[in-house]
Amino acid sequence: LYTFALPENAVIGTTVGRIMADDGDIGINAKMTYRLEGDLKESSTFIIETDPVTQEGVVHLAKSLDYESKSHYVMVAEAANDHPDTRFLTLDEFNDRTKLKIVVEDVDEPPVFFSAFYEWKVPENAAVGTVVGTVSARDTDTVNNPIRYSIVKKTDATNAFKIDPNNGTIAIAKALDRESTAWHNMSVEAKETTQNHLSSSVVVFITVLDVNDNVPRLARDYQPYICEGTQAGELIQLLSAVDPDEAVEDHHFYYSMVPEERINPNFTIRDNQDNTAGIVARRSTFTRKDRTWYLLPVVVADSGTPALSSTTTLTISVCSCLPAGHCPSGGVEALALSGVSMQTLIGLSVCLVTLIALSVLMLIVRRHRRKHQEGMNLEVKELELPKTFSQKVLYYEERGGREAVLDFCQPVVPLRPHPRRRERRLRREELRASIRMSLRESHLIGPEDEVFRQFILDRLAEADQDPYVPPFDCLRTYTYEGSGSPSGSLSSLDSSSLESDPGKPVCNSKPYVVRLSPWYGGAEEDTIF
């Protein structure tokens, strides 16, 4: 008795086991052949072959196993000589039998769907929440584990459907549109909730059925035109329409004009009964002098259930066509310009006049402000001064009637052009050296001394004759302060060396108080004025 065990998930061709029959002969007399006997189903599940080297019987798996349907197999194996000697047939048989028992072992398997695939149909106007269908799977193991269902996300990019994880019911999650997506192909997964969490999947096909929910429209953006001199009854434009909905047979469109209280005296629409229509002129007196364009509403209806329609308003331009009836590219544009030329000119004229008026008003306001400022400016009064200062001007300013301010440094205009910086710097250095030397000499003399008087006269002559020494129109005052004065110098001779605002006069009515360095020595400090 031979007993073998084999798992139910073993692949076809797997070796189940080997059996051996003993033959005392050698050589060709020992060769034998094995075969299986018994139930046809059982014997067809396995096959046996003879190993030519060892003369063993090798059992192989020929069909898939299922532990839940059949857990064991019992068969009879027979071994017989290939070349029996007929002289000894009466003495003994040249074959022998044995019993084979094959046990199938249970293996945890994934759930199995009842159908290899699912295919459903749903109209595109179905409400959200409508159930489309149900998928079902079972656990083939004896344990029969619970199963949960889910939609594989990567297969349903639109998220148009949802599934109940407990019973596999698939419903609509959001509104469908056949014109955007006519087919939905997705995969549904069934997974065990316990043990190894094995899973399997199945493909679901959902077809979205068309519903007449889109209105027909003209096939393109028509820009019709009519030539001057067109006769009544002539075709102006041929129209066609399109409908994104899927027709049961063929689309059929109906063309008409918008119902009005009176008949359109200019144009009419002629339905050709072949899904096209033509715009036809009803009169012959079209000229661009009368009108440059006409509006014509066109109604297009389909043959669906329910029937839908749309209205498109076409602009028919009047064109000065070529002899062949072709409208040049600039004909309509020139025509449009000629039709609105008067309105355009009037608009441009109004804009131009408005701009001119605003400009003039701004100039008047600016001039008025300037005059008002000039009226509030300083009142200049000329004072009698000594001949030495005859060219100096003193200003008296009344600010708003509150107080009067006397200022010595308010030139009306520069009397001389400003010098170059380099020349002015050189003259300032020369002036400073002269002042230092004079101050050192005046340390030993008094204010009534001839040397001091000569110094004042020299400085005055230099200020009057030198055009490069600022300030240009200021009254300068010189005095002798004595030796050892604790306060700084009150002289304004070197006031130009002080930092000042470039936009204001250099000197000030209130003289700066600066410290004089020692008259002698002092190599570490420069004299500051």
Side-chain angles (χ1 to χ4, degrees):
L1 175 64
Y2 290 88
T3 303
F4 303 105
L6 189 67
E8 63 175 332
N9 61 349
V11 297
I12 295 175
T14 302
T15 300
V16 180
R18 290 172 177 262
I19 62 175
M20 181 66 182
D22 186 20
D23 191 337
D25 297 322
I26 62 174
I28 191 173
N29 296 324
K31 289 186 177 181
M32 63 187 74
T33 300
Y34 296 88
R35 68 186 181 87
L36 298 176
E37 295 179 353
D39 183 76
L40 181 61
K41 180 179 179 181
E42 295 182 355
S43 60
S44 63
T45 306
F46 301 92
I47 59 175
I48 188 170
E49 298 175 348
T50 303
D51 189 339
V53 177
T54 62
Q55 294 297 309
E56 293 177 317
V58 183
V59 182
H60 298 284
L61 179 65
K63 293 183 179 180
S64 299
L65 303 176
D66 185 11
Y67 172 82
E68 287 71 27
S69 61
K70 192 172 182 62
S71 60
H72 66 278
Y73 295 85
V74 178
M75 294 167 291
V76 175
E78 182 186 61
N81 283 125
D82 293 341
H83 306 282
D85 192 339
T86 56
R87 293 176 300 171
F88 302 102
L89 289 177
T90 57
L91 298 177
D92 195 2
E93 296 180 356
F94 289 85
N95 58 28
D96 193 17
R97 291 187 177 97
T98 186
K99 185 180 291 186
L100 297 180
K101 184 177 181 181
I102 301 176
V103 180
V104 180
E105 298 176 344
D106 186 23
V107 176
D108 189 13
E109 297 174 304
V112 177
F113 286 92
F114 289 98
S115 178
F117 64 92
Y118 295 87
E119 184 175 358
W120 303 310
K121 297 180 180 180
V122 60
E124 63 175 325
N125 61 348
V128 175
T130 302
V131 176
V132 181
T134 302
V135 298
S136 181
R138 65 182 179 88
D139 186 9
T140 58
D141 297 321
T142 55
V143 182
N144 194 15
N145 295 317
I147 298 174
R148 292 185 67 84
Y149 302 92
S150 62
I151 297 176
V152 180
K153 292 184 179 180
K154 64 181 181 179
T155 62
D156 184 23
T158 60
N159 297 323
F161 300 93
K162 59 183 179 180
I163 189 171
D164 190 319
N166 297 316
N167 57 23
T169 300
I170 297 178
I172 299 175
K174 64 180 183 179
L176 304 176
D177 185 13
R178 190 205 66 84
E179 286 70 35
S180 61
T181 307
W183 278 81
H184 292 270
N185 303 334
M186 56 187 177
S187 297
V188 176
E189 183 182 57
K191 180 182 291 187
E192 296 178 354
T193 58
T194 58
Q195 292 186 1
N196 297 327
H197 299 283
L198 299 179
S199 63
S200 60
S201 60
V202 69
V203 181
V204 177
F205 304 98
I206 300 178
T207 305
V208 181
L209 302 178
D210 183 53
V211 176
N212 190 28
D213 58 350
N214 291 277
V215 298
R217 300 184 182 278
L218 294 179
R220 60 185 178 88
D221 184 15
Y222 292 99
Q223 297 180 353
Y225 64 89
I226 184 171
C227 297
E228 290 183 317
T230 300
Q231 300 299 319
E234 290 188 15
L235 178 64
I236 299 174
Q237 180 69 56
L238 186 65
L239 305 176
S240 61
V242 293
D243 190 344
D245 290 324
E246 182 181 11
V248 178
E249 296 179 355
D250 290 327
H251 284 294
H252 189 77
F253 303 110
Y254 304 92
Y255 301 85
S256 62
M257 300 179 64
V258 175
E260 298 180 354
E261 297 181 357
R262 59 185 180 88
I263 300 176
N264 191 314
N266 303 312
F267 307 97
T268 185
I269 296 179
R270 182 173 57 200
D271 196 335
N272 300 325
Q273 300 301 319
D274 60 353
N275 288 339
T276 64
I279 301 176
V280 180
R282 301 192 64 176
R283 60 185 179 87
S284 306
T285 58
F286 292 96
T287 59
R288 62 181 184 178
K289 293 182 180 180
D290 297 335
R291 291 185 64 176
T292 59
W293 48 267
Y294 295 87
L295 298 179
L296 179 64
V298 178
V299 179
V300 183
D302 60 15
S303 57
T305 304
L308 300 178
S309 63
S310 65
T311 302
T312 304
T313 302
L314 299 178
T315 301
I316 303 177
S317 303
V318 180
C319 180
S320 180
C321 298
L322 299 176
H326 176 68
C327 182
S329 59
V332 177
E333 298 178 0
L335 186 60
L337 289 176
S338 63
V340 297
S341 58
M342 185 59 64
Q343 298 177 358
T344 304
L345 290 177
I346 292 176
L348 292 176
S349 301
V350 171
C351 293
L352 185 60
V353 170
T354 303
L355 291 176
I356 294 175
L358 290 175
S359 301
V360 173
L361 182 61
M362 292 177 63
L363 291 176
I364 293 176
V365 172
R366 183 175 296 179
R367 183 173 296 178
H368 178 73
R369 289 181 178 177
R370 186 178 299 174
K371 289 182 178 181
H372 180 71
Q373 292 177 357
E374 290 178 358
M376 297 296 295
N377 279 343
L378 309 176
E379 296 181 0
V380 182
K381 296 182 180 180
E382 185 177 357
L383 301 179
E384 295 182 359
L385 298 174
K387 294 181 179 180
T388 310
F389 309 100
S390 59
Q391 295 182 358
K392 305 302 176 182
V393 182
L394 185 66
Y395 295 95
Y396 177 79
E397 178 183 4
E398 294 182 358
R399 300 180 179 176
R402 297 180 181 178
E403 60 181 0
V405 179
L406 186 64
D407 198 346
F408 292 92
C409 302
Q410 297 288 344
V412 178
V413 293
L415 298 182
R416 299 180 182 90
H418 290 281
R420 295 182 180 179
R421 293 184 177 180
R422 184 174 181 181
E423 297 177 358
R424 184 169 54 189
R425 188 181 300 109
L426 294 176
R427 292 186 176 274
R428 286 179 180 175
E429 294 176 356
E430 296 176 359
L431 179 61
R432 290 175 184 174
S434 177
I435 292 175
R436 293 191 188 98
M437 184 178 296
S438 299
L439 287 175
R440 292 191 181 110
E441 295 177 359
S442 62
H443 179 67
L444 302 176
I445 59 179
E448 301 298 331
D449 192 88
E450 185 65 22
V451 176
F452 184 80
R453 292 181 181 179
Q454 187 62 36
F455 167 79
I456 295 299
L457 293 178
D458 293 342
R459 299 286 80 74
L460 179 60
E462 183 178 4
D464 289 338
Q465 296 176 4
D466 189 356
Y468 301 103
V469 178
F472 303 102
D473 288 330
C474 289
L475 180 63
R476 295 180 177 178
T477 304
Y478 299 91
T479 182
Y480 178 76
E481 58 188 16
S483 60
S485 174
S487 62
S489 174
L490 300 180
S491 175
S492 62
L493 288 178
D494 204 28
S495 62
S496 61
S497 63
L498 300 176
E499 295 182 1
S500 61
D501 189 350
K504 296 182 180 181
V506 180
C507 69
N508 196 323
S509 59
K510 297 179 180 181
Y512 292 96
V513 179
V514 295
R515 178 178 59 82
L516 292 176
S517 61
W519 287 2
Y520 297 100
E524 297 181 356
E525 295 184 359
D526 289 337
T527 304
I528 300 176
F529 297 92

